[in-house]
């Protein structure tokens, strides 16, 4: 099993004290393991189910559809307009092209579960 923790190192803004935060993360393998245990199925079946679900969500979003999972949340695609930005190395103004971005809005049950 992989290390479920990610360490973020930074400084507290006012005192410049070193701040190390330990964040627990879940990756795809961990999710597959949890799905298999929760559903009482093999890891291979859980992997196939997860990959199928992610493929279908991606296909729906690519077609411009909104994907709503009641209680969990909804995925949608939004167009981000072209804009001007700055190259941080040179300070030069650059054009940033328009693009589509995926947005996620958490559902009420998910929001309640994390609070």
């Amino acid at each position: 099993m992989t290390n479920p923790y990610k360490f973020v190192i930074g400084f507290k803004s006012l005192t410049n004290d070193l701040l190390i935060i330990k964040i627990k993360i879940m990756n795809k393998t961990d999710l597959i393991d949890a799905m298999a245990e929760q559903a009482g199925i093999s890891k291979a079946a859980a992997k196939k189910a997860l990959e199928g679900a992610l493929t279908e969500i991606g296909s729906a979003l690519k077609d411009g559809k909104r994907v709503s999972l009641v209680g969990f949340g909804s995925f949608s695609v939004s167009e981000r307009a072209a804009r001007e930005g700055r190259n941080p190395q040179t300070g030069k103004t650059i054009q940033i092209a328009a693009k589509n971005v995926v947005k996620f809005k958490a559902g009420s049950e998910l929001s309640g579960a994390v609070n």
Side-chain angles (χ1 to χ4, degrees), residues 32-84:
I32 290 168
D33 293 345
M35 287 174 56
E37 185 178 327
Q38 183 77 18
I41 58 177
S42 70
K43 289 181 184 180
K47 180 179 181 182
K48 194 172 184 179
L50 178 61
E51 288 177 351
L54 295 177
T55 298
E56 289 305 313
I57 290 170
S59 295
L61 292 172
K62 187 176 180 181
D63 292 341
K65 296 177 184 175
R66 182 175 183 214
V67 178
S68 181
L69 305 172
V70 176
F72 182 74
S74 59
F75 299 90
S76 62
V77 176
S78 177
E79 187 175 322
R80 183 176 290 162
R83 63 192 193 279
E84 284 188 354

Side-chain angles (χ1 to χ4, degrees), residues 6-7 12 22 38 43 45 48 55 88 90 96 111 115:
K6 178 179 182 180
F7 294 92
K12 289 183 182 177
K22 187 174 166 182
Q38 183 77 18
K43 289 181 184 180
K48 194 172 184 179
T55 298
T90 65
I96 300 172
S111 294
N115 287 321

